[in-house]
Amino acid sequence: MRVLKQAAGMSKDATFSRNQPSVADGGGKVPVEHLEYHYIGKCRDVRYLEMILTVLRSGAEGIYPHLIEFCESHLEKLDPGSRALRKENRVATAASLPTDEWSQIVEDLKMWQEETKRTESSPKQVFDELENKNMPPIRGSHCTVPLCQTSVSKEKWNSSKRTLPRDYREWDNFDAEEECERIERNLIKSSPAVIMNTRPHQIKTKVDVTLLTEHEKLPLANREKDKGNEAFRANDYEEAVAYYSRSLSIKTTVAAFNNRAQAEIKLKHWHKAMSDCQRVLELEPGNVKGLLRRAIVYNHMGNFRKAAEDLRVVLLEEPQNPTAMQLLYKTEKRMEKDEPQQQHKKILIQEVEDVADCGDETKAEKTAHPVEASQPVGGEESSAAPGRREDMGNAQKKPHGRGDRGPHGDSSAPHHGPRRGKGASSDKYRAANDGGEKVANGTGRRGSTASVPADWSGGSKASHAGGAVNLDAPCGALPPPLARLKNEGNLLFKNGQFADALEKYSQAIQGYTDSGIDSPDDLCTLYSNRAACYLKDGNSQECIQDCTRALELQSFSLKPLLRRAMAYESLERYRKAYVDYKTVLQIDCGVQAAHDSVNRITRLLIEQDGAEWREKLPDIPLVPLSAQQHRREEPPSAEVLQARAEKAAMDTERKAEVRFTALKQEGNDFVKKGQYQEALGKYSESLQLKPEECSIYTNRALCYLKLERFAEAKEDCDAALRVEPNNKKAFYRRALANKGLEDYLACRADLQEVLQQDPNVQEAEKELEEVTLLLRQSLAITDASLAKPRKTVPITEVDGDEETASVSVSGASHGAEAATINLRPTNAYEFGQALNTARCGRNTAACADLLASTTPETLPQLLSTQLDGHTVDFVMQALDTHLLERDPNLVYRHLNHLHTADRFSVVLMLLEKDERHHMTQLFKHLSTVQSSEFTKNDVQNLANKYI
C-alpha cells in the first residue's frame, strides 16, 4: 500500500515534459514515485516504460495487477511491437492437450522413430556387404588388400624384440651408413613379397539393388557417381566409366549418362559416347550438355552437318556458350572445306533383275537414282531430313514388328534412321492434287519446307501466311460448314490433337455424304487427312481403309499411297508396303522417305523369302506420265523464295555473330598476353562485322593507348561515346589519350565526368591529381611567356633618310598601341586579339571599352578560346575600376553570363590568392550599388558561383 499512498500524495499539478526523456536514478533503478497511474499515463519514453513494467512484474515493490495492465496498455499504444509486451507460451504437455490429440502425437513420434531406424540400417547393410568383398585397388597400384585386413600383421608390430640402449663410448665407434645398409638388407629379407596382380582389377559395373527401395537407391547411386567424378578428375577415365556404369545400374540419371559420355569421349570410344548422348536426350530432350557432347562426337566421326545442328540448338539455349561458339566456328570451316570435294561425288544404286519379264517393276527399278556420297546405303542407317511435328502421316514413334506399330520413329531399331526432329516426321517432299490444292506435308521435293499440316486450299493458305489461320477460308467445292470443319481439323492436327482432328474430319466426311455434292478431289483429301490421324494414333487398319477409299476417288494420289505404305509396314505386310513405296517413287522420285523404306524392306524381304523374293511380290502398277510429278518442274512460289531469303539472312547473321564473338575473344586473349598489335587487328575485324559495338571501340582504344597512338585512341573513344554517351570506360580512356596529347583541360573534364558517374574509381582520382598539377605547370609557363610586353612597331614607307624614319617610329609607338585595339570585334579571334593587346599593355580602360561594346550573351563564347586565370583576373579589374562606375547594370549582366563559359569551373579552381581578392572586391563594390535590375541578394547569389 506504500505505492498507493505515495501516488495519492503526489501533487495533481505535477507536470511531465514530453520532450525530456525520463531517467532512472543514479543506480539504474526506477524511483518508487514513478510507479503510479498519473506518471505512467503521462510518460512517452518507451524504454523507460519498459523498465517500469519490468519493476511492476518483478513484485519488488508489491503486486498490482490493475497497474500492470494499465502500464501494458499504455505501452502498447506507444509501441505495439515492444519486446516487453511479449509473453512466453508454456510448453505443451499431456495435461494441456486433449487425450486423443496427445495419443496421436505419441503414435506419430513412434512411427517416425521406427522409420528413421529402418532408413539408417538399410544403406549400412549394403555398405557392409560391399566392404566385406575385395574392393577395387588404389588408383595407380594393382595390389588388392581386403578392408577387413591390414597389410602388416599385428604380431609384427607387437614384437617383444627391442633395441637396447647404447653406451656413449659405443656411439663414438658407430657407423651410421653401415647400420642403414644392414637395416635395409634385413627389411628385404624379412618382408614378405607383395602379391601384384598381372592385370588391372576389374570393377564390377553392376550392383545388385533388388532389395532396396527407390529412396535408398538414390544416395547409393550418387555415391558411385561421385567415385566416377573423382576418377575422372584423376584422369583415370576407364575407372570413371566403370563407376558411372555402376551408378546407372542402381538408378538411371541424366547426370550419370552425361558424365559417362564425357569419359567415353576422353577414351575416344565414339560409338559408346554417342549411345550415352542419345540416352540423355531421350530422358531430357534439349539437354545442353547432351547436345554439346553429341556434337563433339559427330565432329570426330566426320558428320559435321549434324554437329552444326546440335551446336545451333545449344546456342539458342545459351547464346554466350564459348565452347559451342568455338566448336561451331571450326565445324563450319571444315564443312566449307569439305563441300567442294563432295559436291560432284555420287554413287549410283541400281537393282539388277534376275527375271526379265517383270513388267512395271523392271521399268521402275532400272532407273538409277543418284545418291549423295555421304548418305548411308542399304537401309541400316538411312538418313531422313528432320521434319516438323505437324507433318501428317510421315512416321510413327513405334518399334518395328509389333502389330500395327510403325518403324519410322524408333531410333533404337538397327535398320532405322537416326533420331529425327520433333514429331519424328520423314523427309520433305511435295505432291499436288488434280483439284489444284498444294499438299504441304507427306510430300515435297528435297530442299522444300512443309509448312501446313494438311491439304490446305488456296484461300486457307493465304490466310495462314498472314500469321493467323482463317477457319472460314474456302476449301475447293466444299460448302462453308464443311470447309470450316476441314480447317478446324487441320489446325487441331497441327497442334498435335490427333483425336480431335479425327472427329472433325469424320464430321466433314459425313456432311459431304449427306449434302450429296460431287467433288471427288475434296473427298479424297478428307479421307487422306483422316488416314493421317489414324496413322498418328497407331490405328493402321483404319488408315489403310481410308487411304484405299482416297485412291479409289483419285488414282495415284501420292499422300494416300505413302500413308498406306507406312501402315502396311507397321503391320509387317512388307510386300504390299514395297509395292506402294515403289509406286510413290514412280510418281515422285524425290521422296527420300520412300527410298529409305524401299532399301529397308528389301533387306527384310531377302531375309524372309531368300533370292526369290521378287517373284512373291504383287504387281507394281504403272504410273502414267501425267501423274509423274518429277517429270514437270515447277518454279518455287513467292512464299518459298521469301522463306529461303529469310533463312539465308538468318544464317548470315548467325555466322557473323559467331565470327564476331570469336574475333572478340581472340582479341581479349591477345590483350591478356600483352600482344596489343595482334589484338588491334582482331578488334578492327570485329568492327567490320558490328560497327556499332561500343565495347570493341573501348578495347581497341586501350590497345592504341598501350602502343602510344593517342590520336587514334581518342577517335575510338569519341566513336564509343557516340554509340553510348555515358560509357565510363570511354571517358576514362579518352582522358588518358588527351593526357598523352598534352590536352590537360580536356583530360581533366573527362576525369571529372568519370568521377561524377562513379566516385569510387581510385585510378581516376590519381590521374585527376596528376593532371591538375600538369595543368598548373603549363598555365604557369603560358603566363610567363605572356608576361613579356610586346611592342607594336608600325612599318611605313619613308622617302627620306633613316634617321627621320626612326624618329617617326619611336614617336608614334604609344599612339599606335592605343590605335591597334579593335573595340568592335566580329568574332572570337578578333576579340581575343584585342583582349590580349589590352592585357599586355595593362590597359584596363581599353578592356572596359571592349566589354562595354560587347553583348553580355556573347561574352562566354568570345572568351572560350582565351579563358585562363590571368584573363579572368584582368576582366574583373576592368569591370571594377572602369565599367562599374559607368554602367553597373552591364557589369551585373556580364557577370551573370561569364560563369557559363566552357571550362570556367576549372579556371576558377586554379585562381591565385590575389586574383580571388580582386574578384571579391568587385562583388563587394557591386553589392553597394542601388539598381532597379538587381538587388543585394541577387549579387550575393551570383557571388556564390564565383567565390
Side-chain angles (χ1 to χ4, degrees), residues 776-788 839 842 868-871 912 915:
R776 290 188 178 184
Q777 293 176 358
S778 64
L779 290 176
I781 295 173
T782 304
D783 293 342
S785 62
L786 293 175
K788 299 177 180 179
R839 179 184 161 195
R842 302 296 178 181
D868 55 42
H870 299 290
T871 302
E912 300 294 340
E915 295 169 346

Side-chain angles (χ1 to χ4, degrees), residues 300-337:
H300 283 88
M301 295 175 70
N303 198 340
F304 304 121
R305 180 180 60 81
K306 292 186 177 181
E309 291 176 0
D310 284 347
L311 290 171
R312 292 188 189 103
V313 176
V314 172
L315 290 174
L316 286 177
E317 296 293 332
E318 297 181 0
Q320 302 300 327
N321 191 317
T323 305
M325 288 190 292
Q326 292 179 5
L327 187 58
L328 180 60
Y329 178 66
K330 295 178 181 178
T331 303
E332 289 180 342
K333 272 193 172 181
R334 297 184 67 177
M335 288 172 65
E336 292 174 359
K337 292 180 181 178

